[in-house]
Amino acid sequence: MPSTINEYFQLMPFLIIGIGIILSVVIEISSKSSKEILPWFSIILFFATALYSITNISEHAVLFGGMVEVGGKPAIFNFIFNLGAMLVVMSSIGYLKKYGTYFGEYYILIQSSVLGMMVMAGSKDILMIFLGLELMSICFYVLAGINRNKLGANEAAMKYFLLGSFTTGFIVYGIALIYGTTGTTSIQNLIDNFGEYSSNIIFVTGLILFLIGFSFKIAAVPFHMWVPDVYQGSATTVTGLMSTTGKTAAFSVLIIMLTSIFTLNSANIFKPYFSAIAVLSMFFGSIVAISQNNLKRMLAYSSISHAGYMAVGLAAANSYSISGIIFYLAAYAFMNIGAFSVISIIEGENDSRTDINVYAGLNSKNPVLAAFMALFMFALAGIPPMAGFFGKYYVFVGAIESNLTWLAILGVISSMISVYFYLRVIVFMYFKDAEENFEIEVAPYSLSSVVISGVLVLMFGLFPDMLLRLITAVVSL
Amino acid sequence: MEQNLLLTYLLFAPIVGSVLVLFFNKEQVKLVRWFGLIVSLIAFVISLIIYFMFDQANPQFQFVNKFLWISSINVSYHIGVDGISLLLVLLTTFLTPLTLLSTWKAIEKNVKMFTFSMLFLEAGMIGVFISLDIFLFYIFWEAMLIPMCFIIGIWGGERRIYASIKFFIYTMVGSLLMLVAIIWLAVYASNMTGSFTTNLLDLYKVGASIPNQIQGWMFGAFFLSFAIKIPLFPLHTWLPDAHVEAPTAGSVILAGVLLKMGTYGIVRYCLPLFPQSAVEFAPVISVLAVIGIIYGALVSMVQTDMKKLVAYSSVSHLGFVVLGTFAMTVESVQGAVIQMVNHGLSTGALFLLVGVVYERTHRRDIAYYGGIAKIVPFYSFALLFASLSSVGLPGLNGFVGEFLILLGSFKSQVLNNWWFTIFAATGVIFAAVYLLWMYQRVAFGVVKNHELADHLSDLNTREMIVLAPIFVLIVWIGIYPSTFLKLTEASTQLILQQVSTYTVNLLK
């Protein structure tokens, strides 16, 4: 089928970001004041794309001979990616200034990684997925080590790169096996003939390798080893980006790949796999996070356990649980970016002041920051009426609907455990007196990132229908 | 259909108030205090208006408001009151302004946040009592933890952090299992009726048809959550810590209203939703309740700390409420509901009174005091009055509730065993022992510490204003309980009707 000019118009979100990247490079090269321009340019770019995506959700179409999907689910994902990246850029302005380092590449890399995520979420072809994944991952490897003078950042980048390449190996090998047995990389073709292919052991092996690769990317146990060090070592704002939008992108692939496959009866083979990684991730993350004193590391383990809750939804695999995961991802993105923005504000030079005891008495030093941090912690713990609760609720509804009540029970038990370490942050902020005196410099943009995240977390909590209605409308597409 | 929004105003008055508090200047302590008091009084006035407009003969929910809230999981903002919930709402709105007034001296640190927490808490408590959608109920039930955790953790005593975390996690453990049960019920309803729903009135219709064994699990999940909140023996261990470490205002609200949410939950959810299991488990739970009555009383007896003594007495008193509820006769359930109110009033008053001397001397150990009747006569009279009310002296409120519960459980067909009543009755005697003994050691005898004469001043006008309305109600319920019993009668009968078919089956 020849592509028409119309199809290019429908690619609008990709085009906005893509042209934006090129313009950013030009600005960076040619303008002396790129330091001031680039962040604002990125914010506008992300906001425009987010707005465009969310308003064009109903324009669902598959373009270029079944390669790319626009509107529908990808539009929701694009909304999360771009809004998340916008908030991260906002909190980066003050953070980079504090570090005393400025790299124009920083913003360009963020833009490119977002483009990679968008490609992942919008692909209808395994090769496209791989393309997007690599674009995102390579940007992340560089971003993790953007501060090249820091030992921790170097370690994080190296570790991330090595384990990430290893993962890529799994995925490519999986793709090769899939293509080798079926002769196609089109997801639609795979689904249509899934019954026939699934009897082939090599095809199934390929699919499992593919799944394992993405289990790395969503940070699920037992593929989580890179997470704590990378999250702790990277610049805080970058961690905020990786842990939220990066996870969302990986989940978007799993959702796109599996929702259609799961509707087939022969696909029950994945249920034990996802149930297992769900249980392992939930409990491992929650239990290990208890003993963490570094807040970034604690949130890294919490990110592992959140991956577990979302994997419950993958195991349940019905329309409730899939909409649940998408809502959960949105909620998680904003509460986590909010929390990391607060951390980036408190953080001092040389990665100092990321330990929990620094937060002692924060309420008397800066009540606004403390209140927002408390909001994010309660939201992450899944206490209503914050957004995090509805994500969990919806995923558990899906699980019980699919007769996985035991998984839901294990999920709530893990939530009980996790309440402790989230609450611990609040205990330090509100119930203890300050141990050390230091000035908290609150950059206005960072604060606005915190406030916007907080408002979104509350809004999605009090009126979840705004987002849920959009999601449930497109989830079956 | 035109909806009467009074109940919504009642719920949102404290919410709006608490948000407005945030905009006050931190330094304007006096203004914030007055503002908090006025908002809570407005809520009280609204609840009184609802009381006077309430049709007592009608057992159904009144003042119902229903708006679709989350269409994709079919959750509505659905609220309404029947006699039982109205009584508890009145208790909440009655106690909150008094509690706020009682803290004008005691809370100096961060008054703004304290007022915010109290108003937020009030809204949460009202929400729990008036929700007619389980999902909404669960949200209020959980959201209310946040302000309470802050109240204990920020303004509490030495071990406040331990106490607040323990309180928070204990409650979470119960309620998260309840969440699974809620979802399961909603899914079950969608299989039975075709629509996924958490509407309580719809669930009442399907609840009884749940297969017996699963119904037991569902009942268990709900009951565990409520039993922790009550707290029923042996899940009571958070209570002494939370009560002792919480500031006076926290203890009053905790004892006065929060514990009632557990017993209210049993009456509103456990009995009518899972009637078969409720009847089946009634004897076992009643045994625990009776153990709680006696255990709480015995432990109270040996306490050296006044606040801890009152805290353990709650375990004993709430045991009566649970016994009355599971005896499932009209008398006993009505007695249980009135006993919830009684406990809120008398234990609330006792905590306030302990707080009064603590504010002045910063000591709570009984041994420190002695002979204070000579130094502070008004205070001693008030303490005696509150103790006697808690003991259950005929003519005061406690007697009415306990008598009805004992009477009802004696002739209960579900329990069908006199021993429950006989053992429970000993709790009344023990109550007299520990409270009067404490009173004797504190108020009578020689003045032990002469420094007390300097430190201890009698009740001031503000404290009398706080206590007077409580005492009026104590006498009112004691002398003319019909005012309150009439309010709950029709609704109680309706709930028992839902259970009764299974009672009859069981007896066959």
Side-chain angles (χ1 to χ4, degrees), chain A residues 133-146:
Chain A
L133 177 71
E134 281 308 280
L135 182 54
M136 176 189 87
S137 303
I138 291 172
C139 294
F140 276 170
Y141 304 148
V142 183
L143 279 170
I146 192 92

Side-chain angles (χ1 to χ4, degrees), chain B residues 383-411:
Chain B
L383 186 63
L384 181 65
F385 195 85
S387 304
L388 289 176
S389 135
S390 184
V391 167
L393 184 78
L396 298 182
N397 62 349
F399 175 73
V400 178
E402 277 165 10
F403 181 75
L404 280 173
I405 291 170
L406 293 176
L407 181 73
S409 62
F410 192 70
K411 60 182 213 183

Side-chain angles (χ1 to χ4, degrees), chain A residues 320 363 378 383-384 389-390 393-394 396-397 400 412 416 419-420 423 426-427 430-432 462 464-465 468, chain B residues 69-73 110 113 135 138 142-143 146 149-150 153-154 160-161 164 168 172-173 176 180 183 196:
Chain A
Y320 276 114
N363 182 42
F378 281 128
I383 311 252
F389 166 71
F390 288 94
Y393 178 83
Y394 223 48
F396 291 153
V397 168
I400 292 175
V412 297
M416 289 169 202
V419 165
Y420 176 77
L423 200 60
I426 288 156
V427 164
Y430 282 92
F431 304 168
K432 294 199 171 176
L462 291 174
D465 220 21
L468 266 179
Chain B
W69 178 32
I70 312 174
S71 61
S72 26
I73 41 176
N110 212 342
M113 190 161 164
F135 188 82
Y138 183 81
E142 287 282 273
I146 299 172
C149 163
F150 279 124
I154 299 182
R160 59 181 195 274
I161 293 175
S164 76
F168 199 99
M172 275 299 266
V173 167
L176 278 169
V180 178
I183 300 175
F196 186 92

